[in-house]
């Protein structure tokens, strides 16, 4: 089938849909809606594509009737049947819903009111979950199920059914009102667990505004603690690395990230870089906010690292390198390095770089720090296993590929590199060709297009793909790690690695070449890294749809 993805941005869900449909043999193209100045221009673009089906997995723009009257046009809405409005997930999280859903419906004049092609319902987590984490996990999984059903029904000539005729598993009251930043304002006199849910619902945008010691900020990445210090609500009462603890009416709220709020919201940064906590005492951070955790199971060690939305700033990279080095001193034979359920890594922290007084110098420090992490993984004596637990990009992908074995959860999407005006480092010129060969590595690195882990396993970029469900994946991962630890298997794998290392150039050779290119990108800004970085951080709409996203069946 010829399928057009009409979207506001080529975001994580759109990328997952794009990868999946292409792998099923469909001819898939993308058009970015913000590039059209009018509905007529959008219609002309669709006419040129003349698809069998238009899917809109992430669309904030209205589709004109000149499109949906001529082509089957299906909107993927992050809410159950009957729900409408742009703040569906915000309401679901803020209100503590126990179930929510995704609905695929035909585009009509009234937003989110068309006949229904498919719907999927899921249980909400017991604990508050950030909007971005929910969107990239349960919402995305439900959306993929709906899209699969839509494609099947269109191919079979079926039609959607009126929303009124659908069984409403999740009770909703129609269109939910748009929630703005003021609706998430933090009142420190409220209990910490209520504020944790409010921050989670406002995650990403619009953010939860608050006053801390007379300063206006937006807070993100918050976890409640029952610890009550007796301090006045709103007082900074603790710090752990860059996380800051603030007293509430009941309990304490730990804040991992914050942004200045003076007119336009500033970049999201580690909380201690925005909120003054220099005189706050050290306190133990809640486990849910811990940057790293390490556990052992016999001869297998598991190092789990956490990074908010996958961005890793300089000091965090250094701390993670130290954690890897410490884990490698343990009496183990296999070290598993994994992300959390909702985040792996996207490499260097563009926000921290942009906020620095000297962005070029900060970018250099950041890339050198993540390179040291990659070297620590690549030169380990133990067998190393990296597990892509969630979507990964750029340096996060390359760090995972530095391990001896790389595994992944089903449904994860990898972005080897972005169009960011930089050459890339993290030993990619060694790790990628070593796995897929020079020609295929060149295609992957130069096209800068996402790839599903299923496709990555097919071409040999990663070793294997495990179940999507989080508990099942962890069981599968533990079984795989124990299998690698078996003496015969481990001996063979270590011998093969030693043979590869003996014939390889020193890793410093690859690192030196890569960093020489990166120095020119950062300090000379030869490929407009500063412009690309700011556009990414400000979510500036593209001027045009990149040609590489248009219809093509080419695969790597």
């Amino acid at each position: 089938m010829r399928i057009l993805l009409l979207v506001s941005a080529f975001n994580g869900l759109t990328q997952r849909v794009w990868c999946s449909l292409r792998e099923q043999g469909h001819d898939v193209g993308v058009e970015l809606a913000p590039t059209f100045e009018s509905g007529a221009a959008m219609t002309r673009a669709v006419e040129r594509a003349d698809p069998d089906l238009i899917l809109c997995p992430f669309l904030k723009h209205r589709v004109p009737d000149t499109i949906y009257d001529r082509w089957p046009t299906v909107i993927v809405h992050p809410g159950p049947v009957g729900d409408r409005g742009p703040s569906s997930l915000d309401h679901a999280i803020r209100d503590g819903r126990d179930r929510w859903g995704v609905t695929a419906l035909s585009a009509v004049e009234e937003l989110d009111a068309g006949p229904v092609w498919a719907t999927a319902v899921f249980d909400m987590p017991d604990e508050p979950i950030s909007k971005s984490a929910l969107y990239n996990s349960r919402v995305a999984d439900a959306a993929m199920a709906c899209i699969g059903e839509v494609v099947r029904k269109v191919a079979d000539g079926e039609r959607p059914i009126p929303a009124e005729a659908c069984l409403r598993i999740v009770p909703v009251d129609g269109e939910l009102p748009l929630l703005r930043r003021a609706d998430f304002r933090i009142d420190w006199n409220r209990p910490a667990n209520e504020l944790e849910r409010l921050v989670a619902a406002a995650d990403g945008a619009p953010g939860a505004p608050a006053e801390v010691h007379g300063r206006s900020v937006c807070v993100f990445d918050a976890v409640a603690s029952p610890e009550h210090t007796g301090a006045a609500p709103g007082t900074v009462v603790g710090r752990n690395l860059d996380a800051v603890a603030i007293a509430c009416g009941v309990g304490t709220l730990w804040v991992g990230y914050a942004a200045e709020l003076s007119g336009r919201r500033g970049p999201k940064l580690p909380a201690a870089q925005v909120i003054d906590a220099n005189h706050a005492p050290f306190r133990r951070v809640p486990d849910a906010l811990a940057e790293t955790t390490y556990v052992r199971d016999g001869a297998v060690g598991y190092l789990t690292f956490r990074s908010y939305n996958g961005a890793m700033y300089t000091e965090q990279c250094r701390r993670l390198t130290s954690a890897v080095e410490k884990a490698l001193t343990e009496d183990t034979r296999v070290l598993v390095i994994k992300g959390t359920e909702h985040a792996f890594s996207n490499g260097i922290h563009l926000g921290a770089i942009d906020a620095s007084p000297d962005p070029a110098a900060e970018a250099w420090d950041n890339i050198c720090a993540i390179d040291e992490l990659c070297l620590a993984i690549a030169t380990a004596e133990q067998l190393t296993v990296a597990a892509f637990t969630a979507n990964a990009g750029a340096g996060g992908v390359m760090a995972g590929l530095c391990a001896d074995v790389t595994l992944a959860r089903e449904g994860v999407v990898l972005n080897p590199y972005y169009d960011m005006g930089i050459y890339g480092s993290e030993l990619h010129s060694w790790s990628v060709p070593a796995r897929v060969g020079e020609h295929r590595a060149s295609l992957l690195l130069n096209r800068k297009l996402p790839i599903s882990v299923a496709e990555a396993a097919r071409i040999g970029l990663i070793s294997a793909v495990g179940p999507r469900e989080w508990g099942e994946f962890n069981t599968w991962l533990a079984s795989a790690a124990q299998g690698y630890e078996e003496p015969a298997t481990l001996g063979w794998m270590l011998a093969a690695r030693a043979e590869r290392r003996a014939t390889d150039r020193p890793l410093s050779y690859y690192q030196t070449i890569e960093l020489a290119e990166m120095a020119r990108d950062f300090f000379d800004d030869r490929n407009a890294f500063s412009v690309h970085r700011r556009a990414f951080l400000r979510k500036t709409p593209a001027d045009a749809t990149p040609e590489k996203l248009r219809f093509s069946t080419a695969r790597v």
Side-chain angles (χ1 to χ4, degrees):
M1 195 179 296
R2 187 172 173 84
I3 301 174
L4 177 66
L5 304 183
L6 184 59
V7 294
S8 295
F10 197 48
N11 71 341
L13 175 57
T14 303
Q15 292 175 21
R16 187 173 168 188
V17 173
W18 183 80
C19 289
S20 177
L21 293 175
R22 281 162 53 93
E23 287 159 20
Q24 294 171 37
H26 300 291
D27 189 11
V28 186
V30 176
E31 285 290 350
L32 299 179
T35 64
F36 301 112
E37 295 180 358
S38 66
M42 188 185 296
T43 303
R44 287 194 296 271
V46 175
E47 284 177 339
R48 288 193 297 270
D50 193 22
D52 302 312
L53 170 65
I54 299 172
L55 292 174
C56 307
F58 177 68
L59 185 65
K60 297 180 178 181
H61 300 72
R62 185 180 294 275
V63 179
D65 57 5
T66 50
I67 290 177
Y68 62 71
D69 282 346
R70 293 175 60 185
W71 294 274
T73 304
V74 180
I75 309 293
V76 179
H77 173 67
V81 173
D83 170 75
R84 295 167 54 201
S87 299
S88 293
L89 293 183
D90 310 51
H91 282 280
I93 298 168
R94 190 191 67 167
D95 299 344
R97 291 277 194 156
D98 57 357
R99 302 186 85 186
W100 204 241
V102 171
T103 305
L105 37 82
S106 289
V108 295
E109 176 63 24
E110 198 173 359
L111 291 178
D112 306 328
V116 174
W117 286 90
T119 187
V121 172
F122 55 85
D123 293 330
M124 293 284 284
D126 294 331
E127 299 298 322
I129 181 173
S130 74
K131 186 165 53 180
S132 58
L134 179 65
Y135 181 82
N136 289 318
S137 57
R138 302 189 188 200
V139 170
D141 292 346
M144 293 301 295
C146 287
I147 287 170
E149 190 171 346
V150 169
V151 171
R152 179 191 63 77
K153 286 182 175 179
V154 171
D156 291 345
E158 297 184 36
R159 301 297 303 161
I161 61 175
E164 309 82 60
C166 293
L167 177 65
R168 300 199 178 189
I169 302 174
V170 179
V172 290
D173 300 321
E175 184 167 358
L176 297 170
L178 171 67
L179 293 177
R180 302 185 183 277
R181 184 173 293 158
D183 296 306
F184 297 100
R185 181 163 295 281
I186 297 294
D187 177 359
W188 295 112
N189 292 295
R190 294 174 63 183
N193 58 352
E194 292 182 7
L195 297 182
E196 177 185 4
R197 184 171 295 281
L198 200 63
V199 173
D203 180 64
E211 294 291 320
V212 183
H213 292 181
R215 189 175 187 182
S216 296
V217 298
C218 268
V219 296
F220 306 88
D221 193 29
V223 175
S225 166
E227 180 183 16
H228 192 62
T229 62
T235 303
V236 174
V237 293
R239 176 177 177 175
N240 189 305
L241 301 178
D242 283 320
V244 175
I246 302 175
C248 301
V250 177
T252 301
L253 190 73
W254 280 87
V255 176
Y257 264 67
E260 289 189 15
L261 193 58
S262 52
R264 182 174 181 173
R265 194 188 82 190
K268 288 183 284 186
L269 299 170
Q273 296 182 23
V274 178
I275 298 170
D276 183 8
N278 290 329
H279 302 293
F282 170 85
R283 292 185 185 276
R284 179 180 172 83
V285 72
D287 291 344
L289 208 59
E291 193 170 77
T292 59
T293 58
Y294 178 76
V295 295
R296 281 186 57 175
D297 182 7
V300 180
Y302 295 87
L303 178 66
T304 302
F305 69 94
R306 181 184 187 277
S307 58
Y308 176 62
N309 288 346
M312 294 168 52
Y313 53 100
T314 302
E315 288 305 317
Q316 186 177 22
C317 290
R318 290 171 178 162
R319 291 193 295 262
L320 183 52
T321 301
S322 297
V324 169
E325 292 172 341
K326 184 176 185 300
L328 291 170
T329 65
E330 294 280 327
D331 184 21
T332 54
R333 292 187 286 275
V334 176
L335 174 63
V336 178
I337 303 167
K338 60 193 285 276
T340 61
E341 180 179 2
H342 304 298
F344 189 77
S345 170
N346 292 316
I348 60 176
H349 198 305
L350 299 179
I353 290 169
D354 202 61
S356 170
D358 188 345
E362 176 58 29
W364 179 255
D365 288 343
N366 204 167
I367 201 67
C368 289
I370 200 170
D371 266 23
E372 291 306 308
L373 169 62
C374 293
L375 282 167
I377 297 170
T379 59
E381 291 186 6
Q382 287 100 321
L383 187 80
T384 53
V385 178
F388 289 122
T389 53
N391 294 350
V397 174
M398 300 310 162
L401 297 182
C402 284
D404 298 311
V405 179
T406 307
L407 307 175
R409 266 173 90 198
E410 183 184 346
V412 163
V413 174
L414 307 178
N415 270 284
Y417 276 119
Y418 308 106
D419 288 319
M420 201 56 64
I422 51 180
Y423 178 79
S425 190
E426 300 102 0
L427 303 179
H428 76 268
S429 58
W430 161 71
S431 62
V432 181
R435 289 169 178 263
V436 300
E438 293 286 350
H439 175 69
R440 187 166 270 163
S442 178
L443 290 176
L444 279 170
L445 296 169
N446 291 327
R447 287 181 179 177
K448 295 181 172 62
L449 287 171
I451 181 173
S452 73
V453 289
E455 181 72 359
R458 185 188 71 81
I459 65 175
L461 188 66
I462 67 171
S463 307
V465 179
R468 177 68 180 172
E469 197 279 323
W470 181 240
E472 292 178 5
F473 175 77
N474 283 307
T475 300
W476 176 86
L477 179 62
S479 177
Q482 293 294 339
Y484 296 132
E485 190 268 332
E486 288 292 326
T489 302
L490 182 64
W492 174 82
M493 296 181 79
L494 292 178
R497 184 183 71 183
E499 185 176 343
R500 288 194 306 273
R501 286 182 178 178
T503 57
D504 273 342
R505 292 183 171 117
L507 293 182
S508 58
Y509 166 85
Y510 303 95
Q511 184 185 32
T512 300
I513 293 174
E514 293 170 1
L515 288 179
E517 299 287 349
M518 293 293 276
R520 297 180 64 191
D521 290 333
F522 291 153
F523 294 105
D524 299 337
D525 203 20
R526 59 176 177 172
N527 293 311
F529 170 57
S530 58
V531 173
H532 289 295
R533 181 183 71 239
R534 291 175 191 136
F536 177 85
L537 292 170
R538 291 158 178 72
K539 294 181 170 56
T540 304
D543 294 329
T545 301
E547 196 60 37
K548 65 183 180 181
L549 294 181
R550 298 189 187 278
F551 284 98
S552 171
T553 55
R555 299 169 72 182
V556 295

